[in-house]
Amino acid sequence: MKISDILASDRFSLSFEVFPPKRDGNIDNLYKTIEELETAHPDFISVTYGAGGGTRDTTVEIASKIKNVLGVETLAHLTCVQATSADIADILEEFKRNNLENILALRGDPPANTGTFIKTSGGFGFANELVNFIRSQGDFCIGVAGYPEVHIEAPSAEADMENLKRKVDAGGEFIITQVFFENDAFYRFRDRALKVGINVPVIPGIFPIFNTKQIPKITELSNSKIPSSLLDKLEKASDWPEEAEKYGVEFAVRQAADLVRNDAVGLHFCSMNRSSHVLKILSEMELPRRHPARQQNG
Ligand code: FAD
């Protein structure tokens, strides 16, 4: 089922993100996690696409198993990193063969330690070009990424929003946001998007945070600010993992409940390939079955 159809109904959407394990990682553990996550009845599970295209085959394999074996809708991420348009066309054919119809179209992060994205000759420099190309290759439902706290390379919030509009105008049918911890940033972003005429659903990305070790990586990649109240608690509990987890769950429950109260169309949790945190959060809050019917992107 196309995610655009799920979102077009008034059903409140719940989704999770998983990533392919490293080459020597244990894929069976991931499938076990996915089966546990399934007990929360997600509308879809997204599968990331590794920097440098290194996880291309496993992204397809995992997304295909989630959809065709486990029977849960999937969203396969796809990036422009180190790929020509012919490479992308091949991948899209693989998606079609595997019945994968939902794609999150991304430019991609630069490969590790390189710091700068370099367009591959014969490839794409920005996600809107990828969206255009995917459109020309078949009947896919395409999502794009949005940045409540502004993409790290964007010269200004306005320029970043213009880019988001370009991606939606090219055929992006929904937006999943970069993770954030201060909901006001999301609400402002959603309002700004509406003002420039972006009318597709915006799904907030949530990252349950449980220890201070996760912070440098999250903030470096996402540009997200972590509220000092959470930071202080995590730091004080750094020698007591169970306490730190408790604060992380409490924070995420409050954050998610506030998003629900403020008319979010759904919640997209980064699971970090673990089910326990996300399931605990969900067990401590009530998800609505429906979101309020709106003619806008909320
Ligand atoms: P773009 O929309 O192309 O934007 C990149 C930058 O260029 C922005 O600063 C934008 O403002 C600017 N820009 C865009 N168009 C123009 C233009 N025409 N002229 C000038 N500037 C322009 N990365 C992965 O490698 N694999 C994943 O699976 C993955 N999943 C993600 C999932 C989500 C929900 C999110 C939010 C991010 C994900 N990322 C992933 C990270 C993403 O690839 C990076 O944030 C990347 O740096 C930007 O990707 P984008 O698609 O937003 O790029």
Side-chain angles (χ1 to χ4, degrees), residues 83-119:
T84 62
S85 58
D87 295 331
I88 299 283
D90 285 349
I91 298 167
L92 294 175
E93 285 307 312
E94 259 182 82
F95 282 6
K96 285 183 203 166
R97 277 195 294 278
N98 285 278
N99 196 22
L100 303 176
E101 51 188 337
N102 299 299
I103 302 176
L104 190 68
L106 301 144
R107 185 199 67 178
D109 277 325
N113 308 324
T114 61
T116 340
F117 177 86
I118 297 171
K119 174 181 168 175

Side-chain angles (χ1 to χ4, degrees), residues 103 105-106 124 126-138 140-145 161-175 196-200:
I103 302 176
L106 301 144
F124 305 108
F126 296 109
N128 66 297
E129 299 168 13
L130 179 63
V131 175
N132 251 325
F133 184 73
I134 297 172
R135 270 270 158 272
S136 72
Q137 299 293 301
F140 293 104
C141 167
I142 306 172
V144 295
M161 192 52 80
E162 277 167 30
N163 170 51
L164 185 59
K165 176 94 167 56
R166 249 193 309 271
K167 294 196 278 194
V168 170
D169 289 346
E173 293 167 80
F174 61 95
I175 296 163
V196 301
I198 294 175
N199 282 304
V200 299

